[in-house]
Amino acid sequence: QVQLVESGGGSVQAGGSLRLSCAVSLTGYSVYYSSYCMAWFRQAPGKEREGVAGICMGGSSTYYADSVKGRFTISRDNAKNTLYLQMNSLKPEDTAMYYCAADRGVQTVLSPYEYNYWGQGTQVTVSS
């Protein structure tokens, strides 16, 4: 069983920064946090959920959507079982509910269909 809890969302003006965190809890058969791929997704009202950034192989491989490259940085602290998303130079179009997700055996890291474990989401609002 995998439980994910996001935090760190909020309201910020364009050009500002936020850091999202996702605390990972593994119980029972689910062990070896570092064996999971993890990713951040976002969903704005009326839009499909889209992959923002992902990280696999214990943190050695990272993936980003073109829209956030150079502005967002994904990282994970395996000792603390926590995933982070540092978001800089935020734009109004970054406004969305942000979710973290985790699973093993992921092939397409930024596809939401690859993940069975999801957090409840944290809202990010960027004003112009």
Side-chain angles (χ1 to χ4, degrees):
Q1 184 70 23
V2 179
Q3 293 182 320
L4 308 171
V5 179
E6 302 97 334
S7 61
S11 297
V12 65
Q13 289 193 327
S17 298
L18 284 172
R19 188 176 83 154
L20 305 183
S21 298
C22 176
V24 182
S25 176
L26 300 174
T27 59
Y29 184 74
S30 305
V31 296
Y32 304 122
Y33 163 72
S34 61
S35 70
Y36 282 78
C37 282
M38 299 196 69
W40 289 97
F41 293 82
R42 65 186 181 188
Q43 188 167 20
K47 294 189 176 181
E48 293 186 354
R49 189 168 297 189
E50 64 170 342
V52 174
I55 189 165
C56 298
M57 300 294 289
S60 62
S61 300
T62 56
Y63 308 81
Y64 294 95
D66 288 342
S67 58
V68 306
K69 280 181 182 176
R71 300 189 298 123
F72 291 10
T73 302
I74 190 171
S75 61
R76 60 196 288 176
D77 186 331
N78 289 340
K80 295 182 178 179
N81 282 4
T82 302
L83 178 73
Y84 302 100
L85 184 67
Q86 178 66 45
M87 305 186 296
N88 299 327
S89 302
L90 283 162
K91 304 175 181 180
E93 51 263 42
D94 294 319
T95 295
M97 184 72 78
Y98 282 71
Y99 301 89
C100 68
D103 217 323
R104 291 186 289 183
V106 171
Q107 298 297 313
T108 306
V109 176
L110 297 184
S111 170
Y113 303 104
E114 296 275 349
Y115 296 85
N116 288 303
Y117 302 106
W118 293 85
Q120 82 290 347
T122 185
Q123 178 68 39
V124 171
T125 302
V126 184
S127 58
S128 58

